[in-house]
Amino acid sequence: MTSHTYEILLALGVLSPFVSFWILVFFGPRLGKPTAGWVGVALGMGVPLVLATVVLIGWRGEVASGNAAELTANAFRYEWAMLGTVPATVGVKLDSLTVGMFFMVTFIAFWIFVFSVGYMAGHSDEVGGKSKYHRFFAYLSLFGFSMLGLVVSSSLLFLFIFWELVGLCSYLLIGFYFDKGFASAAAIKAFITNRVGDFGFLIGLMLVYFQLGTLDLDVAAQRFAEQYAAGTGIFASHFTLFGWSLATIMGIGLFCGAMGKSAQFPLHVWLPDAMAGPTPVSALIHAATMVAAGVYLVARVFRLMTPEALMFIALIGCLTLTLMALIAIVQVDIKKCLAYSTLSQLGYMIFGMGCGAWIAALFHLITHAFFKAMLFLGSGQVIEGCHHEQDMRKMGGLRKKMPYTCWTFFIGVLAIAGTGIPAIGIGLGGYFSKDEILAVAYTRSYEWGKDDFHKHVPGEGGGHGAVEPADGGQAMLASYQDHGQAHGDDHAPAGGAQGIFENTPALPKWMFWLAIITAYVTPFYMMRCWWMTFMGKPRDKHVYEHAHESRLMFIPLVVLAVGTFVSSYFLFRPLFADAAPAATDAAMVMAIDGTADTEAVHHAHSFLIGGVGFAFAVGFAIAFLIYRNGLDLAERIRRVLAPLHTLLVHKYYFDEVYDLVWVKGCILVAKIARLIDTYVVDFLFDLAAFVTERLAAFSGLILDNQGVDGMVNGVAKTTMDVSDVARSGQTGRIRNYVLFSTAMATVVMLVLFWWAMQAGNFMTATSAPPVG
Amino acid sequence: MYCRGPEGTVLTKRLTAELAPSDSIGSSRLGGLWRLCGWGLAVAAVLVLVPEVRAQQKVIIEPTRVPYQSVEAPPSPLLEVLLFYAVAGSTVFGALAVCFTKNIVRMAVWLLVTLVSVAMLYFLLAANFIAAVQLIVYAGGTLILLIFGVMLTSKSPWVKFEPSKVEVVYAAAVCGLLVAVLAFILTATIWPPAQEQLDATTVADLGRSLMTTYVVPFEVAGVLLMIVMVGAAHLARQEKQSP
Amino acid sequence: MMSIGLTEYLVVAAVLFGAGIFTMITKRNAIGILIGVELVLNSANVNLVAFDRYLERCRIDGQILALVVIVLAAAEAAIAVGICINLYKNLATVDVDTAAKLRG
């Protein structure tokens, strides 16, 4: 198949849920309750799943025959618009990562859609008295469209657009029962918290736009490397913030988006609250796919990261995985417990990304998606069966009432705990993925900087995958090794870590140890969760009696359990390993993540087998010992460690601090602003108004009334006075007229006489000349 | 105008009221000042314009030659002198009596005296025909007409309408001044020398003149009389009662 | 004083004129005003006849003019009396001060 075929298939897969969305929007109410849901399942995810399967099978063949890189290079780019001088291109990012993610998303989403049909059958779909059934599946379809679009986007711009769209869907679905106050509050919290992260993403996007002059992922990475080599562009800037260079800020900015979406440490607060949404939504969006989008984003922009940015990412991931795991210990709500476990696992992924465990982090993303989706669906089954009871303290002994759920859930617990037998290399999801992250972290902490580490030339040592605790999937890795060799000149220059990662510092050892300790905590809280729910004796008779299983909902559970068992390692890890060279571009990743066959890697190998190989057993054992006989022992321990328990129950008081700092702070600022507004702005305003008023009064009352009007009126009055005088003669009395005319005649006569006398024209007797 | 609400502030309201155009002219406090200015302007204009006109007059009016010379008139015959003064005296007395009589009928009587005296003056001036006409038309026609008027319009022939004292004073002043000025001018004027004693003008001369030189005024006067006759009849006729 | 000339006649006419004006001003009776007018007209006639007698160029002309004036005076008197009667009809009085409707 040509690359265009793949692109078209993927594009159709993206558009199919979009069509489903519009169909459900316009015709949903007519389709009715079950039909609309099945339309959503078939068109929203069924078609994409079929397409994804076709693409996956085809692509594996391409990878095996070595055509994948060529297909990636031939991918079509449509220049949609010019943003200034920067083209906004539309295209499908055609590589192994996309194909793998696309299949994972469609596969999990399809089964969750199926589960949703059963879930909504038993749930009220009425909000405000009107059925919102079709709306639920419309949202799910829109989410499918957004998530798949996010996965296939070749441009950061479109990645951002779909990024915001999945955020919107998350908001809509968390607040699906928006007539319940806590649901809408949780939706708003999720949305706003994501805005904080997305603001950072936007800053990073702008920096990419301005400094790299492109929005295309590949071109951006290429320019980034060029600019680093030449010391120009973003590396020529002397701007720093907290000691970070501009390039680091760009990386951290992009990572901020991932922090919001993947609910990393400072922005993690929304994810537990998001469990207010329907359980399928929690499984799909807030466990398997959307929250993993942050990890996916970091994987996509990995080539734009500087060592400092990666260290920041590692720090955030480390803090998240530790702190959230501890909270999960004390949670009694089954969904909250899973939510904090999700946070912790996401922290592992981010931590892995920060360490440079690019393949391992994505691999963990996939395995986690499978078993966490399954766990959530199981919890949904439990909640559904227990009459909407979410408190694990009221459960117990449910294994008899819902055996399938119990044992699929147990498989999930084993997977997340990283259960496996190190010696023979058999294990479940987490056993491979999480331990690989830990192995990379070990290498970065203890072996990094040693001479022989850097001397290794990638590709020469052959495919050993030495850091992996098991040898499984070695054959699949062969193609990746070949690929890495073929492009070794481009992506991984001989001589080990070079380029921007040349001087990458070693990972602080405390980070590594925190991750190790958490690897022991994880099995504990998961076993605690499972035991409290399914094992032991029933603690609440009412809940126990009500418990039952739904068939439609348990099929997806089984499918996902099988998927957890087998698919991940053989299917996805080779795909990501294939994508790694092109996507990471960094010698560091190459060196430690698959090609290195050195003494250091062997150290990591042996250390991990001894260090965390049996962590699951320890965790399980402790949980079993504590919760074996009900909650009494746990209660005693709680009393002993009361302050710690309180701290954990209150989630380190993050919500309270945020409320105090941000919400109350905002209100305080608003109050101050109001005071300023009232007393300063209004004062100035009133002052200005007063001055204006006085000026107007002066102008109006003095200048205008007395001056202008006075002048006008004065003219009028003068005229009137004159006419009064002139009128006074017009008495209408004939006698007066006679008097006046006589008087005037007399006066005229006098004047004329006077003038004549003056002119000498009037010759009187006295002045007359003598007779002559 | 700034507002706190649609109704505005108290200050604004007051201001609006103050700024509203006054309906009566002259309510302005400075109105008097402006009136003063107006009058000042008018007076100034007069003071400027009158000397200007006078200056123009001085240029235009040139002294001209006096046509006549003062000649000592020859004394008149004594009889004529006596008669003149007697008749002039009765004329003046009659006229003044008319002035100062308040009763309308007595005024008419004093007017008769005056008119007869004037007729006597005409005789002295050798205008016999005019004198005769004066007696016939005035004393015999106009005066009777007046008496009729008095009788027709007075509820009582003794009714009196008194003018105010101020009017009388004004009238006396104006008329006194007029007479004085006239008298001064007349006496100060050098008249052309009186001609030789002539025969009295005959009616034939007058009639010839009327029929030749003054035929148009004569005819016009006739037409005028006819119009007056029609007009007087119209004015005095009984008004038809309008419904 | 012993020579009676134009001046003397004119002075008498002037006095008549003044008296007539005075009568017109001070008499509120319409007939009284008419009488004043007659006096003034007589003063004019005296002037005319005097000029006729004493000035060469005014020969005959003065008398003709005096005749016209007399005719006019008669006509005027006729009209004036008619007006007075109308005034009396309208206002029930002959007080000219009440006939001031045209007052501005």
Side-chain angles (χ1 to χ4, degrees), chain A residues 678 682 685-686 689-690 693-694 696-697 699-702 705-711 713-718 720-722 724-725 733 735-736 739 742-743 745-747 749-750 753-755 757-772, chain B residues 1-4 9 11-15 18-22 24-32 34-39 42 53-54 57-58 61-66 68-71 163-164 167 170-171 174-175 177-178 181-182 184-185 187-190:
Chain A
T678 309
D682 277 10
F685 193 68
D686 286 351
F690 177 75
E693 199 174 38
R694 285 293 92 198
S699 157
L701 297 179
I702 309 298
N705 273 12
Q706 304 295 333
V708 179
D709 281 9
M711 201 184 292
N713 286 346
V715 169
K717 288 170 67 56
T718 307
M720 207 162 163
D721 287 349
V722 171
D724 266 348
V725 170
R733 294 177 185 175
R735 303 184 300 113
N736 291 14
L739 176 62
T742 309
T746 310
V747 168
M749 204 154 59
L750 266 174
F753 178 58
W754 176 253
W755 283 356
M757 291 284 284
Q758 291 288 308
N761 239 352
F762 192 84
M763 199 55 69
T764 62
T766 50
S767 65
V771 178
Chain B
M1 212 169 280
Y2 86 104
C3 315
R4 268 301 169 70
T9 59
L11 191 58
T12 317
K13 276 184 196 163
R14 187 165 65 76
L15 200 65
E18 281 179 8
L19 287 175
S22 54
S24 64
I25 300 171
S27 65
S28 155
R29 285 178 217 152
L30 290 181
W34 286 110
R35 287 173 102 167
L36 209 63
C37 289
W39 280 110
V53 173
R54 287 285 292 111
Q57 288 283 340
K58 270 180 186 167
I61 297 174
E62 298 262 332
T64 50
R65 254 187 75 82
V66 178
Y68 308 122
Q69 290 179 339
S70 177
V71 176
S164 66
E167 273 181 340
Y170 276 145
V174 167
C175 296
L177 184 65
L178 178 66
V181 169
L182 281 174
F184 175 75
I185 293 171
T187 50
T189 307
I190 300 168

Side-chain angles (χ1 to χ4, degrees), chain A residues 150-443:
Chain A
L150 194 159
V151 168
V152 302
S153 284
S154 70
S155 156
L156 265 175
L157 178 67
F158 283 89
L159 201 147
F160 182 72
I161 290 169
F162 287 116
W163 186 264
E164 296 297 332
L165 265 174
V166 292
L168 171 71
C169 296
S170 166
Y171 165 79
L172 291 172
L173 286 165
I174 294 168
F176 182 69
Y177 294 114
F178 58 80
D179 53 342
K180 293 176 186 166
F182 65 90
S184 64
I188 290 164
K189 189 176 183 183
F191 201 72
I192 288 173
T193 314
N194 268 301
R195 290 282 75 67
V196 177
D198 290 345
F199 185 68
F201 191 3
L202 204 55
I203 290 172
L205 202 63
M206 289 297 118
L207 281 170
V208 170
Y209 173 85
F210 281 112
Q211 298 293 335
L212 303 181
T214 182
L215 289 168
D216 191 272
L217 283 163
D218 294 329
V219 181
Q222 194 186 334
R223 294 221 180 129
F224 190 77
E226 283 169 6
Q227 289 185 359
Y228 175 75
T232 55
I234 196 167
F235 291 100
S237 169
H238 295 292
F239 176 82
T240 57
L241 188 74
F242 309 128
W244 292 329
S245 68
L246 197 60
T248 306
I249 290 167
M250 184 177 82
I252 289 172
L254 292 169
F255 174 61
C256 276
M259 276 165 72
K261 208 58 96 194
S262 288
Q264 292 303 297
F265 163 60
L267 304 178
H268 66 273
V269 291
W270 66 270
L271 188 54
D273 286 16
M275 296 304 140
T279 305
V281 172
S282 303
L284 175 64
I285 300 183
H286 304 122
T289 54
M290 189 191 83
V291 288
V295 184
Y296 177 77
L297 173 70
V298 176
R300 274 292 176 220
V301 298
F302 197 83
R303 282 176 293 176
L304 305 181
M305 295 292 174
T306 60
E308 292 81 8
L310 283 177
M311 192 56 77
F312 180 80
I313 293 170
L315 173 69
I316 294 294
C318 180
L319 289 174
T320 309
L321 71 92
T322 313
L323 297 173
M324 298 309 127
L326 292 176
I327 294 177
I329 293 173
V330 300
Q331 288 298 319
V332 293
D333 184 320
I334 184 167
K335 277 181 81 177
K336 286 279 174 68
C337 184
L338 291 175
Y340 281 102
S341 121
T342 306
L343 282 169
S344 179
Q345 298 305 310
L346 287 168
Y348 267 114
M349 296 171 211
I350 294 291
F351 176 65
M353 280 290 172
C355 292
W358 192 88
I359 300 167
L362 284 169
F363 182 35
H364 192 52
L365 189 162
I366 297 289
T367 55
H368 173 261
F370 273 94
F371 59 67
K372 190 51 64 71
M374 186 178 71
L375 287 170
F376 262 108
L377 294 187
S379 78
Q381 183 77 283
V382 169
I383 292 163
E384 182 71 19
C386 294
H387 207 54
H388 305 292
E389 180 57 63
Q390 301 193 7
D391 194 338
M392 291 189 292
R393 286 173 302 191
K394 295 183 178 173
M395 298 172 185
L398 292 175
R399 68 182 181 280
K400 289 166 191 161
K401 283 296 185 89
M402 32 182 72
Y404 290 100
T405 309
C406 171
W407 296 115
T408 51
F409 201 97
F410 184 64
I411 289 167
V413 170
L414 291 177
I416 195 172
T419 310
I421 305 167
I424 58 172
I426 295 173
L428 287 169
Y431 173 69
F432 302 113
S433 54
K434 186 163 70 182
D435 289 5
E436 187 176 342
I437 292 171
L438 292 173
V440 173
Y442 173 81
T443 317

Side-chain angles (χ1 to χ4, degrees), chain B residues 108-219:
Chain B
V109 172
W110 285 119
L111 180 64
L112 179 63
V113 170
T114 310
L115 291 176
V116 171
S117 303
V118 169
M120 293 302 119
L121 281 178
Y122 292 159
F123 281 120
L124 283 177
L125 286 168
N128 301 336
F129 181 71
I130 300 299
V133 169
Q134 168 88 359
L135 284 174
I136 294 162
V137 174
Y138 266 112
T142 306
L143 199 62
I144 301 304
L145 203 62
L146 289 176
I147 297 299
F148 273 138
V150 170
M151 297 171 93
L152 282 171
T153 59
S154 296
K155 291 175 178 140
S156 147
W158 316 107
V159 71
K160 285 179 284 195
F161 307 102
E162 291 300 317
S164 66
K165 290 275 191 296
V166 182
E167 273 181 340
V168 175
V169 171
Y170 276 145
V174 167
C175 296
L177 184 65
L178 178 66
V179 172
V181 169
L182 281 174
F184 175 75
I185 293 171
L186 291 174
T187 50
T189 307
I190 300 168
W191 294 105
Q195 50 194 341
E196 295 300 311
Q197 190 66 35
L198 295 170
D199 295 334
T201 316
T202 59
V203 180
D205 295 334
L206 282 175
R208 200 172 294 112
S209 276
L210 278 175
M211 286 300 137
T212 54
T213 315
Y214 297 106
V215 69
V216 175
F218 177 76
E219 294 298 337

Side-chain angles (χ1 to χ4, degrees), chain A residues 402-669:
Chain A
M402 32 182 72
Y404 290 100
T405 309
C406 171
W407 296 115
T408 51
F409 201 97
F410 184 64
I411 289 167
V413 170
L414 291 177
I416 195 172
T419 310
I421 305 167
I424 58 172
I426 295 173
L428 287 169
Y431 173 69
F432 302 113
S433 54
K434 186 163 70 182
D435 289 5
E436 187 176 342
I437 292 171
L438 292 173
V440 173
Y442 173 81
T443 317
R444 281 289 310 281
S445 300
Y446 285 93
E447 304 294 337
W448 194 253
K450 289 183 179 174
D451 286 345
D452 63 333
F453 197 91
H454 291 297
K455 279 176 187 164
H456 176 73
V457 178
E460 283 180 0
H464 288 278
V467 291
E468 296 142 25
D471 292 335
Q474 201 66 271
M476 293 301 297
L477 273 176
S479 64
Y480 155 55
Q481 300 300 345
D482 295 342
H483 180 79
Q485 207 164 4
H487 294 272
D489 293 340
D490 298 336
H491 302 300
Q498 280 190 357
I500 191 171
F501 292 101
E502 207 164 6
N503 299 315
T504 304
L507 195 71
K509 293 185 175 56
W510 61 268
M511 284 195 193
F512 168 70
W513 283 108
L514 279 179
I516 292 291
I517 290 165
T518 308
Y520 283 88
V521 175
T522 308
F524 171 70
Y525 67 70
M526 286 314 296
M527 179 52 80
R528 166 185 176 270
C529 176
W530 181 71
W531 195 274
M532 280 176 81
T533 307
F534 295 104
M535 305 305 273
K537 291 170 184 169
R539 283 183 289 273
D540 191 313
K541 212 153 190 76
H542 172 71
V543 169
Y544 181 75
E545 282 167 5
H546 189 271
H548 63 278
E549 272 187 336
S550 162
R551 189 153 297 265
L552 191 58
M553 290 158 76
F554 110 97
I555 291 172
L557 281 177
V558 175
V559 171
L560 289 174
V562 172
T564 305
F565 242 125
V566 295
S567 67
S568 334
Y569 193 83
F570 300 102
L571 186 60
F572 291 105
R573 194 186 183 286
L575 274 177
F576 297 149
D578 176 62
T584 59
D585 220 17
M588 176 184 77
V589 174
M590 293 295 295
I592 63 173
D593 215 23
T595 59
D597 180 21
T598 61
E599 201 174 340
V601 176
H602 287 300
H603 284 168
H605 188 174
S606 52
F607 174 82
L608 281 168
I609 290 173
V612 296
F614 294 98
F616 71 94
V618 177
F620 286 167
I622 294 169
F624 175 74
L625 288 173
I626 292 175
Y627 291 97
R628 184 182 43 158
N629 295 317
L631 302 176
D632 300 338
L633 185 59
E635 181 64 19
R636 282 208 292 280
I637 294 171
R638 189 188 72 76
R639 284 202 201 111
V640 172
L641 298 173
L644 184 62
H645 181 265
T646 312
L647 180 68
L648 293 176
V649 164
H650 287 93
K651 309 151 205 163
Y652 312 108
Y653 294 97
F654 263 107
D655 282 343
E656 285 78 2
V657 169
Y658 281 2
D659 185 60
L660 190 70
V661 174
W662 299 118
V663 179
K664 296 276 190 342
C666 271
I667 292 169
L668 183 69
V669 168

